[in-house]
Amino acid sequence: MISDKMTQAFNEQVNREMYSAILYMSMSAHCNQEGLKGFANWFMVQYHEEMFHAMKIYEYIQRQGAQVNLGAIQAPPTTFESPLEMLNQTLAHEQFITRSINDLMELAISEKDHASQIFLEWYVTEQVEEEENDNDIIAQLKFIKDNPQGLMMLDRELAGRATTVPTDFSKGIESAMAASGA
Ligand code: OFO
């Protein structure tokens, strides 16, 4: 059982995670258009990560016998100045997500909702990794500056990122994770 307030807060987080997914999908499309296939791959993997984050909460709400209420998702930007601008936007967005996860945790603590606290711990840890990944790429882009060769090398490196999260949720998260080996 979770409270109505907690249910609403979780539903809002599903919306934020889905916005994250389409934001990164939009960045992936932009990178493809710019010929940065490795960056496009990195953002598409990120899209899958975000859908996984959304689906975990979607399922948790239902397992708690509460109601999923999906709302309209804001349209993402479609053009970006440079890879560095995109990664800066990505980091700023992830910092916003980190704050929203912290707010959810604060709510769960104030409600003495132990199950939600345990559930949210995974997201607290995940956000450290998400921000770290963005900071690493930003540092490399700052080092590369306007050097096309350096950018091509980074693009090749990012092409190697593989999706490690499940992508088929038709039979629920547990079976999706088992099937994907995640
Ligand atoms: Fe990119 O983070 Fe979701 O939670």
Side-chain angles (χ1 to χ4, degrees):
M1 184 203 78
I2 54 175
S3 72
D4 289 349
K5 202 170 167 189
M6 201 75 230
T7 302
Q8 190 189 333
F10 272 125
N11 271 303
E12 286 166 6
Q13 190 62 27
V14 171
N15 190 285
R16 288 187 203 104
E17 300 291 349
M18 291 184 79
Y19 174 75
S20 307
I22 64 161
L23 172 65
Y24 300 142
M25 194 182 187
S26 183
M27 288 178 174
S28 180
H30 177 80
C31 292
N32 253 319
Q33 253 176 334
E34 296 292 309
L36 293 168
K37 302 283 181 191
F39 278 87
N41 171 70
W42 192 90
F43 279 113
M44 195 47 86
V45 171
Q46 199 58 33
Y47 157 83
H48 286 302
E49 294 255 337
E50 300 304 343
M51 288 305 294
F52 178 52
H53 298 170
M55 291 306 295
K56 271 174 79 85
I57 302 171
Y58 168 89
E59 189 174 290
Y60 178 72
I61 295 169
Q62 293 179 80
R63 288 186 67 207
Q64 287 285 15
Q67 167 117 27
V68 168
N69 285 314
L70 298 177
I73 301 164
Q74 189 195 325
T78 52
T79 54
F80 307 90
E81 253 173 48
S82 64
L84 182 57
E85 193 228 343
M86 246 182 302
L87 264 298
N88 280 333
Q89 275 193 35
T90 300
L91 177 61
H93 181 67
E94 288 305 326
Q95 288 167 339
F96 161 73
I97 294 292
T98 299
R99 286 192 293 275
S100 70
I101 295 292
N102 287 341
D103 288 346
L104 273 165
M105 183 63 103
E106 286 297 319
L107 180 61
I109 291 167
S110 73
E111 296 208 343
K112 298 187 171 62
D113 179 346
H114 293 265
S116 294
Q117 286 173 53
I118 292 165
F119 173 75
L120 284 164
E121 271 170 16
W122 184 88
Y123 286 85
V124 172
T125 309
E126 178 72 8
Q127 281 312 115
V128 176
E129 191 188 313
E130 296 258 309
E131 289 188 32
E132 186 184 12
N133 289 344
D134 299 340
N135 275 317
D136 284 351
I137 301 174
I138 287 169
Q140 290 187 69
L141 284 168
K142 284 185 176 163
F143 187 69
I144 289 166
K145 286 201 179 113
D146 295 325
N147 179 341
Q149 241 177 345
L151 188 62
M152 283 301 103
M153 275 175 68
L154 178 57
D155 191 62
R156 262 199 297 269
E157 186 189 321
L158 298 183
R161 186 183 189 196
T163 301
T164 55
V165 296
T167 54
D168 176 1
F169 305 105
S170 47
K171 293 184 178 62
I173 292 285
E174 291 300 325
S175 100
M177 287 177 72
S180 77

